[in-house]
């Protein structure tokens, strides 16, 4: 296996983790450690050897972090005291998540490779060639394709081959002793209901793999892989499969670890079948008397699992594509439900199986009589276990998402968890702040990796573990926010915060003999991974801390933080103070407002007026601006998996400084202006509407407050000006206005948004976010960014791609630094920006800054200057009520929302320049250029209000759909259903806006 790992790293340039899970006794484990230590060092290959104690420590940490119910039971399912092929592989899945792997390639200890011309034939070659790629892209890489073309856009989820040599299930002796009994016994593994000819064929092929033919050359097939054609000793799975659903953790059985192969096939996920088959053999332990009896028990349980798994497999086959969600992910909840349903299988069918097995073994004689005698007293237990195995599989499947997420925050290795007590300050309670309420709302709604934040603190050389932890304890005592929890009833959002006088927190010490080549990047990955677990608002310490050490010497503090009590600025302050404490400095008493102090200030008349003014600012933009910046073909869904694209550029930083010098503008405003201009230009919008998070730390009382102060500022910058300099002047005022209105009551804000968008018929998308953290106190970015000479002479223009992240935005940009390099990261929807287009967008930003460095830039020349072209939406799109929309898409969405009723949507005439006329004197948007929907309701009592409500419920994830201003309900559709004039000739049953009760 080490040779195969080296082959993969050398041939494909990937990092291969050679993972050995060892359940041997201590003496054998020691021998194995020596063998692994003696392996030659190979670039790109890292070996990991875990005995059961190390596996248990890892699992305990994962389960504790996951917060799953019945943690002890889950630990037993993951590491049972009996043999479980499924549980062992599940541990490999979680360890793979912790190691950052994207696939798992399983080999077993009782198998060997085939050879051709004296060289081993490695299955890894085909696995790394195809796994995870789009099936259509793999079609040209395989010998042949038998895949349904409808599945061509799905990724390859499985690559596998079979085995040659001895049968995978040790029943060859039974076949030799009595072929008739062999058919009876093996036939027990075939679900009832199969035609006899199929049944005999399945019996003949069972457990034989690819036979005995030797490998002579590659044959690969892109197909829906049948479980009978592959073996678990020769398989690779993409993490999109094993990261969603585990294997059944059944003990003392065989075959249950094939479950995911069935799932992949039934969900119609593509696979590649190859002929680099593994050589199978049976160990000497299995040939011993004790080994024989143990194996017969496993075989009996395998036979008893047949009707239960058959129930699940039948349900999955019938579900087909419904096993996947809208984004193509396996729906674990559906699988768990099928597993639970299988527990209701009639027990009498399995009782008969045991009767047949008992008679057959006694007829065979010899040691099979001993096997029958051993199984007889276990009869009821085995029947119970067959059902219980499926219950436990369902339970583990329910917990699996939380376990996989938590495992990403628990790196395997030498780890110990220290509990740190603290005592100091006074116990207090009071209302939450506006910022806390806003973040709590997000934490309860969003995925934790989206809303939690993280940081990495380099530990000064010479610092001991005790000193590092003591400084952390001092911070907990110093800052009330770190001692704050939010009690609340289940299903409700907290409205109160409680500050404790004493408590505890934990620090996980991760000690390594050697750190990876990029230790700062490794620490950053640990911190980012720790974000994937939810913080329990009512009880958790708000910092999830790991201390990364090398040979006992602390190197980094990697942490995830609850956004309910911290933001990026707060983490920067904590970092500065922690370093000061380590340096022996005495910190002055905190002078900034505590969270409770800020909550009291916000409740004053002046604080309430400020919040109300913020709501009016937001309402004006939401009522009149574009509902989404990227309303265009291809923009779909509420969450998008997007890769990170990072720009580091000395050219851009120099140009930015020159623009600021030429215009007198602040560099941060210049960059914001250029970014907004390019976003609006690419989206073909008259204004750039973007969420621009602000630290809200401009007042001395808040500047060094450890609290979550950051809230969104909503910027609306009209780009209909002739030049860049003119836009820069507008941007300064627009940004200030947005920042002034970034403190608000989040509950009231979202109530306003719901009311306003219902009235307008829009959906507030927040699809564009620009977050400039370059001026905040030092955070994780300074750890992973270039420093010293590298930063001073850094790349002229460097673009690099990073890991994917699922985000609820179309374009998200973080500005990390503006000097001496412009360092920013952006995530753009790949459906709207192909990789080359995303790179061209950031390159275009640099070109715009360079052009503006020497002279004013006409905005009409942006395409020529930047190389970025506006989107082409096509003739079916128009701008209505300040937003781009497509009447045919609106009609389709409305028809689907109304269970298929015929719908026709037309756009009334807009203003001559194609824009929406100015707002009315009362501030509401003009309705010129509005949409009208005609609905053929038949005999249904449909009203405009019901139609509007149904469409509004369907708007999320459809940025190109705007609700009609008027709904006209008729009885039948006209013959010419695509002509508005034909609909106008129909008798009108009801009509109205749907926003109120105005029905005529």
């Amino acid at each position: 296996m080490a040779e195969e790992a080296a082959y993969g790293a050398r041939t494909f340039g990937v990092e291969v983790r050679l993972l050995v899970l060892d359940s041997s006794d201590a003496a054998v484990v020691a021998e194995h450690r020596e063998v692994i230590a003696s392996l030659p060092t190979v670039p790109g290959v890292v070996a990991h050897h875990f005995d059961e104690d190390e596996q248990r420590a890892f699992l305990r940490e994962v389960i504790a972090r996951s917060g799953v119910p019945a943690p002890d039971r889950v630990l037993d399912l993951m590491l049972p005291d009996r043999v479980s092929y499924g549980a062992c592989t599940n541990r490999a899945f979680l360890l793979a998540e912790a190691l950052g792997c994207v696939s798992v390639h399983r080999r077993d200890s009782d198998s060997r490779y085939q050879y051709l011309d004296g060289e081993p034939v490695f299955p890894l070659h085909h696995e790394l060639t195809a796994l995870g790629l789009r099936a259509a892209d793999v079609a040209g890489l395989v010998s042949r394709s038998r895949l349904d073309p409808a599945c061509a856009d799905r990724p390859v989820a499985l690559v596998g081959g079979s085995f040659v040599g001895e049968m995978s299930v040790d029943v060859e002796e039974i076949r030799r002793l009595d072929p008739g009994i062999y058919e009876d016994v093996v036939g027990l593994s075939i679900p009832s209901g199969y035609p006899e000819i199929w049944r005999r064929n399945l019996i003949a092929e069972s457990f034989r793999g690819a036979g005995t033919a030797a490998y002579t050359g590659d044959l690969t097939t892109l197909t829906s892989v049948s479980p009978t054609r592959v073996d678990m000793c020769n398989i690779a799975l993409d993490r999109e499969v094993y990261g969603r659903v585990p294997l059944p953790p059944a003990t003392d059985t065989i075959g249950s670890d094939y479950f995911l192969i069935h799932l992949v096939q039934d969900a119609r996920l593509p696979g590649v079948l190859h002929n680099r088959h593994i050589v199978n053999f049976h160990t000497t332990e299995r040939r011993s008397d004790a080994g024989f009896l143990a194996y017969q028990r496993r075989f009996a349980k395998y036979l008893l699992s047949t009707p239960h798994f058959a129930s699940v497999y039948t349900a999955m086959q019938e579900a087909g594509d419904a096993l996947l969600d809208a984004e193509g992910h396996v729906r674990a909840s559906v699988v768990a439900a099928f597993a639970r349903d299988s527990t209701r299988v009639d027990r009498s069918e399995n009782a008969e199986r045991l009767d047949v097995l008992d008679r057959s073994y006694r007829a065979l004689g010899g040691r099979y009589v001993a096997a029958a005698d051993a199984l007889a007293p276990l009869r009821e237990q085995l029947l119970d276990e067959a059902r219980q195995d499926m219950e436990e599989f369902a339970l583990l499947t329910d917990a699996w998402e939380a376990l996989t997420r938590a495992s990403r925050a628990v790196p395997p290795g030498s780890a110990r968890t220290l509990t740190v007590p603290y005592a100091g300050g006074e116990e207090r309670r009071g209302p939450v702040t506006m910022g806390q309420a806003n973040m709590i709302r997000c934490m309860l709604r969003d995925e934790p990796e989206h809303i939690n934040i993280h940081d990495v603190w380099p530990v000064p050389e010479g610092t001991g573990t005790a000193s590092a932890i003591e400084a952390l304890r001092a911070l907990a005592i110093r800052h009330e926010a770190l001692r704050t929890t939010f009690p609340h009833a289940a299903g409700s959002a907290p409205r109160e915060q409680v500050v404790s006088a004493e408590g505890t927190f934990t620090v996980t010490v991760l000690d390594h003999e050697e750190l990876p080549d990029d230790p700062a990047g490794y620490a950053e990955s640990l911190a980012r991974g720790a974000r994937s677990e939810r913080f329990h608002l009512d009880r958790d310490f708000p910092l999830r801390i790991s201390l990364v050490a090398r040979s006992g010497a602390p190197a980094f503090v990697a942490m995830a933080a609850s956004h309910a009590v911290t933001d990026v600025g707060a983490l920067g302050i904590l970092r500065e103070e922690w370093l000061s404490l380590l340096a022996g400095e005495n910190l002055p008493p905190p002078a900034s407002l505590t969270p409770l102090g800020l909550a009291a200030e916000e409740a004053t008349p002046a604080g309430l007026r400020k919040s109300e003014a913020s709501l009016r600012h937001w309402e004006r933009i939401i009522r009149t601006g574009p509902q989404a910046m990227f309303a265009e073909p291809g923009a779909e869904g509420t969450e998008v998996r997007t890769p990170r694209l990072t720009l580091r550029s000395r050219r851009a930083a120099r140009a930015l400084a020159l623009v600021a010098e030429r215009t007198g503008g602040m560099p941060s405003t210049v960059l914001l202006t250029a970014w907004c201009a390019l976003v609006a230009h690419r989206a073909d919008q008259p204004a750039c509407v973007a969420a621009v998070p602000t630290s809200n730390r401009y007042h001395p009382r808040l500047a060094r407050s450890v609290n979550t102060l950051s809230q969104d500022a909503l910027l609306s910058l009209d780009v209909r000006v002739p030049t860049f300099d003119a836009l820069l002047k507008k941007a300064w005022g627009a940004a200030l206005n947005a920042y002034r209105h970034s403190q608000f009551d989040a509950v009231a804000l979202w109530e306003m948004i719901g009311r306003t968008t219902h009235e307008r018929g829009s959906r507030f998308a927040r699809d564009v976010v620009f977050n400039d953290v370059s001026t905040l106190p030092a955070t994780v970015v300074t750890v992973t960014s270039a420093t010293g000479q590298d930063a001073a002479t850094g790349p002229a223009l460097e673009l690099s791609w990073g890991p994917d992240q699922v985000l609820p935005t179309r374009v998200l940009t973080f500005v990390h630094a503006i000097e001496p390099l412009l360092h920013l990261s952006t995530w753009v929807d790949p459906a709207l920006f192909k990789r080359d287009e995303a790179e061209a967008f950031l390159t275009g930003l640099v070109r715009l800054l360079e052009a503006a460095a020497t002279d004013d830039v006409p905005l009409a020349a942006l395409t020529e200057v930047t190389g970025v072209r506006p989107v082409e939406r096509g003739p079916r799109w128009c701008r209505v009520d300040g937003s781009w929309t497509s009447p045919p898409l609106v009609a389709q969405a409305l028809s689907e929302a109304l269970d298929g009723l015929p719908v026709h949507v037309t756009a009334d005439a807009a203003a001559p320049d194609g824009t929406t006329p100015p707002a009315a004197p009362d501030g509401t948007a003009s309705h010129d250029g509005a949409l009208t929907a005609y609905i053929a309701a038949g005999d249904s009592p449909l009203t405009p209000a019901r139609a509007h409500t149904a469409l509004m419920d369907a708007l999320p994830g459809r940025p190109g759909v705007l609700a009609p201003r008027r709904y006209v309900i008729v009885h039948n559709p006209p013959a010419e259903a695509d002509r508005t004039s034909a609909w106008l000739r129909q008798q009108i049953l009801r009509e109205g806006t749907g926003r109120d009760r105005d029905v005529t």
Side-chain angles (χ1 to χ4, degrees):
M1 288 185 66
E3 291 181 15
E4 187 176 20
Y7 172 85
R10 180 176 64 252
T11 305
F12 292 89
V14 296
E15 183 175 85
V16 180
R17 301 299 184 110
L18 180 58
L19 181 60
V20 181
L21 302 184
D22 198 337
S23 297
S24 309
D25 58 40
V28 177
V29 166
E31 294 177 8
H32 293 169
R33 291 200 193 282
E34 291 180 6
V35 171
I36 293 172
S38 68
L39 293 174
T41 301
V42 177
V45 177
V46 182
H48 302 270
H49 180 209
F50 296 95
D51 63 22
E52 282 209 354
D53 288 341
E54 291 166 330
Q55 295 175 52
R56 185 175 291 104
F58 168 75
L59 291 172
R60 281 176 174 162
E61 183 69 15
V62 168
I63 293 168
R65 284 182 178 273
S66 71
V68 296
D72 291 341
R73 188 178 181 192
V74 172
L75 180 60
D76 288 341
L77 296 180
M78 290 299 303
L79 189 60
D81 56 7
R82 294 189 287 172
V83 172
S84 172
Y85 299 119
C88 181
T89 310
N90 286 338
R91 297 197 294 276
F93 290 157
L94 292 189
L95 284 162
E97 289 288 284
L99 292 167
C101 299
V102 296
S103 57
V104 166
H105 309 251
R106 180 172 139 175
R107 307 289 183 263
D108 294 345
S109 59
D110 56 353
S111 55
R112 297 290 184 267
Y113 301 103
Q114 293 194 75
Y115 281 76
L116 180 66
D117 298 330
E119 295 293 327
V121 179
F122 294 132
L124 191 63
H125 178 87
H126 294 310
E127 295 169 353
L128 293 180
T129 296
L131 200 62
L133 297 181
R134 186 168 155 266
D137 298 330
V138 173
L141 306 176
V142 295
S143 307
R144 58 191 181 186
S145 176
R146 293 176 177 171
L147 186 71
D148 184 341
C151 302
D153 286 331
R154 294 179 179 178
V156 172
L158 178 154
V159 178
S162 190
F163 65 92
V164 293
E166 298 184 270
M167 298 177 71
S168 59
V169 176
D170 197 0
V171 290
E172 175 62 22
E173 184 182 44
I174 299 177
R175 190 189 66 81
R176 290 198 307 267
L177 290 172
D178 191 319
I181 290 179
Y182 174 83
E183 286 197 7
D184 290 341
V185 170
V186 174
L188 297 176
S189 68
I190 310 299
S192 58
Y194 276 76
E196 186 60 25
I197 188 172
W198 289 10
R199 179 181 175 83
R200 287 188 173 277
N201 185 59
L202 287 171
I203 291 172
E205 291 189 357
S206 290
F207 317 131
R208 294 192 176 277
T212 58
Y215 171 86
T216 57
D218 281 328
L219 177 63
T220 52
T221 307
L222 178 65
T223 185
S224 175
V225 176
S226 168
T228 63
R229 303 294 304 279
V230 292
D231 191 83
M232 280 301 292
C233 70
N234 189 2
I235 198 165
L237 292 163
D238 187 82
R239 69 174 300 272
E240 274 298 314
V241 179
Y242 66 75
R244 305 281 173 180
V245 177
L247 289 170
T251 58
D252 288 333
T253 189
I254 56 175
S256 61
D257 50 342
Y258 283 67
F259 181 87
L260 293 181
I261 309 175
H262 287 268
L263 176 59
V264 168
Q265 183 186 42
D266 295 338
R268 290 167 30 91
L269 294 174
V272 170
L273 184 67
H274 64 78
N275 66 332
R276 294 193 174 197
H277 304 309
I278 291 289
V279 179
N280 186 52
F281 71 94
H282 296 156
T283 62
T284 55
E285 184 275 336
R286 192 182 295 183
R287 302 301 190 193
S288 68
D289 289 342
F292 173 80
L293 291 177
Y295 190 81
Q296 294 311 312
R297 173 172 176 164
R298 295 172 201 167
F299 181 56
K301 276 199 67 178
Y302 162 70
L303 298 176
L304 296 180
S305 72
T306 296
H308 295 284
F309 280 120
S311 169
V312 178
Y313 297 154
T314 299
M316 291 198 304
Q317 288 169 0
E318 293 173 352
D321 288 341
L323 288 168
L324 307 178
D325 63 20
E327 296 180 349
H329 302 312
V330 175
R331 298 168 62 197
S333 59
V334 175
V335 176
F338 291 160
R340 286 196 174 87
D341 289 345
S342 76
T343 63
R344 293 192 284 269
V345 168
D346 187 355
R347 183 185 176 101
S348 62
E349 183 179 341
N350 266 343
E352 185 177 347
R353 272 185 170 80
L354 286 179
D355 291 340
V356 172
L357 191 64
D358 184 80
R359 289 196 304 269
S360 299
Y361 277 11
R362 296 188 187 284
L364 288 171
R367 59 179 182 168
Y368 286 93
V369 175
D373 289 342
L375 292 173
L378 300 176
R379 180 184 179 89
E380 293 303 313
Q381 177 183 337
L382 293 174
L383 291 171
D384 289 341
E385 286 183 2
R387 179 186 55 78
Q388 184 179 343
D389 286 344
M390 302 309 291
E391 290 179 349
E392 292 178 336
F393 177 41
L395 184 150
L396 187 61
T397 303
D398 288 337
W400 194 244
E401 181 182 0
L403 293 173
T404 55
R405 183 185 297 125
S407 67
R408 297 172 210 142
V410 182
S414 179
R416 55 195 174 99
T417 300
L418 305 178
T419 300
V420 183
Y422 62 82
E426 60 177 316
E427 185 172 331
R428 305 203 297 154
R429 65 176 59 223
V432 297
T433 68
M434 293 181 183
Q436 287 173 334
N438 186 37
M439 289 304 172
I440 287 171
R441 178 186 179 277
C442 295
M443 291 176 71
L444 295 176
R445 178 196 64 192
D446 298 343
E447 291 300 313
E449 56 264 34
H450 296 171
I451 192 62
N452 293 339
I453 57 178
H454 71 283
D455 204 357
V456 174
W457 302 349
V459 180
E461 190 173 352
T463 302
T465 300
S467 298
I469 292 176
E470 188 58 36
L472 291 170
R473 189 202 319 265
L475 293 179
I477 297 171
R478 175 178 173 84
H479 294 290
E480 287 190 357
L482 301 184
R483 296 182 275 116
T484 296
T485 54
F486 303 89
H488 61 102
S492 66
R495 303 297 295 172
E496 182 184 50
Q497 57 180 312
V498 174
V499 179
S500 300
E502 59 185 23
T504 63
F505 62 91
T506 60
V507 176
T508 300
V509 180
L510 304 169
D511 201 358
H512 303 259
E513 293 183 4
E514 291 292 340
L515 291 174
D517 293 339
D518 179 14
Y522 167 66
E524 200 273 341
S525 70
L526 295 180
R528 181 178 294 278
R531 290 170 51 168
S532 62
E533 180 185 352
R534 290 191 185 277
F535 282 92
H536 299 98
L537 293 166
D538 59 341
R539 61 183 184 274
D540 282 356
F541 189 74
L543 303 180
R544 192 172 290 142
I545 306 169
S546 292
L547 186 61
V548 180
R550 178 182 179 276
S551 299
F556 296 96
V557 169
M559 67 173 65
S562 167
H563 221 333
V565 298
T566 63
D567 55 20
V568 173
L571 291 182
I573 292 165
L574 289 172
R575 180 188 188 194
E576 290 179 2
E577 293 185 349
W578 183 73
L579 291 172
S580 296
L581 290 169
L582 291 179
E585 300 176 15
N586 292 320
L587 299 178
S592 294
L593 283 175
T594 64
L596 284 172
L598 178 59
E601 187 174 278
E602 291 173 343
T604 64
L608 295 175
R609 286 194 298 270
K610 181 182 289 188
S611 175
E612 291 165 0
S614 295
L615 296 187
R616 289 194 296 272
H617 166 84
W618 279 67
E619 182 174 358
R620 177 184 61 80
I621 296 173
I622 291 172
R623 194 175 286 279
T624 61
Q627 73 158 341
M629 286 297 295
F630 288 94
E632 59 188 67
E636 297 177 351
T638 56
E639 292 190 343
V640 183
R641 179 172 292 279
T642 61
R644 183 186 70 209
L645 177 59
T646 297
L647 166 70
R648 296 172 67 248
S649 174
R650 183 166 32 88
R651 280 172 44 191
R654 176 171 172 74
L656 181 59
L658 290 173
V659 179
E661 181 180 346
R662 183 181 67 79
T663 62
M666 295 179 60
S668 58
T669 308
V670 171
L671 181 59
L672 174 63
T673 304
W675 184 85
C676 284
L678 203 55
V679 167
H681 173 70
R682 161 59 183 77
D684 191 21
Q685 295 281 13
C688 178
V689 175
V692 185
T694 177
S695 67
N696 284 322
R697 295 179 179 274
Y698 46 81
H699 196 284
R701 293 174 323 203
L702 297 174
R704 296 194 61 79
S705 176
V706 173
N707 193 359
T708 183
L709 302 176
S710 175
Q711 288 187 272
D712 274 356
L714 188 60
L715 172 71
S716 179
L717 178 60
D718 191 332
V719 299
R720 291 173 293 186
V721 294
T723 67
F724 181 86
D725 288 3
L727 186 62
L728 177 60
K729 292 177 181 178
K730 290 187 68 174
W732 171 252
L736 281 180
N737 194 38
Y739 296 147
R740 285 178 53 238
H741 296 106
S742 61
Q743 289 179 282
F744 45 77
D745 181 331
V747 174
L749 175 76
W750 284 100
E751 288 176 352
M752 178 276 294
I753 290 174
R755 182 179 66 253
T756 301
T757 53
H758 182 83
E759 293 170 0
R760 189 184 184 195
S762 61
R763 172 79 180 184
F764 176 57
R766 195 184 182 266
D767 60 341
V768 174
V769 180
F770 182 86
N771 194 359
D772 187 347
V773 297
S774 63
T775 60
L776 296 179
T779 58
V780 64
V781 176
T782 61
V783 177
T784 55
S785 296
T787 57
Q789 184 68 20
D790 183 49
T793 62
L797 195 159
E798 175 188 88
L799 294 171
S800 59
W801 288 94
D804 291 358
Q805 196 169 343
V806 177
L807 296 169
T809 57
R810 305 288 173 196
V811 174
L812 166 65
T813 298
F814 268 81
V815 180
H816 305 304
I818 60 174
E819 59 176 358
L821 298 176
L822 175 60
H823 177 190
L824 61 82
S825 297
T826 192
W827 293 259
V828 294
D829 185 345
L832 309 183
F833 294 81
K834 297 177 182 177
R835 285 211 166 199
D836 58 339
E837 292 171 334
E839 293 176 354
F841 182 84
L842 289 189
T843 303
L845 179 66
V846 176
R847 289 175 176 170
L848 177 56
L849 291 172
E850 289 180 327
T854 57
D855 199 1
D856 198 2
V857 177
L859 295 187
L862 278 182
T863 298
E864 179 183 353
V865 170
T866 66
V868 176
R869 296 183 176 276
V871 64
E872 295 182 5
R873 290 184 173 84
R876 295 192 166 200
W877 288 76
C878 57
R879 188 178 286 127
V880 172
D881 191 20
S883 298
W884 280 104
T885 189
S886 168
L889 285 183
V890 176
Q892 178 184 345
L894 181 55
S895 176
E896 290 174 0
L898 297 176
D899 298 324
L901 291 180
V903 174
H904 175 71
V905 175
T906 183
D908 299 334
D913 62 354
T915 64
T916 302
D922 64 355
T924 61
S926 169
H927 297 159
D928 289 348
L931 300 175
T932 299
Y934 299 88
I935 308 169
D939 295 327
S940 69
L942 183 68
T943 64
R946 287 178 58 189
H948 184 66
T949 298
L951 181 57
M952 292 301 297
D953 289 342
L955 281 190
R958 302 175 190 245
V961 174
L962 193 69
R965 175 51 50 183
R966 195 157 192 82
Y967 297 87
V968 179
I969 300 173
V970 301
H971 191 273
N972 294 317
E976 298 177 295
D978 59 339
R979 300 179 62 86
T980 302
S981 58
W983 285 87
L984 288 171
R985 290 193 292 269
Q986 301 297 101
Q987 181 180 358
I988 297 175
L989 302 179
R990 289 169 291 278
E991 63 177 315
T993 67
R995 276 71 169 175
D996 47 34
R997 300 181 182 277
D998 65 327
V999 179
T1000 59

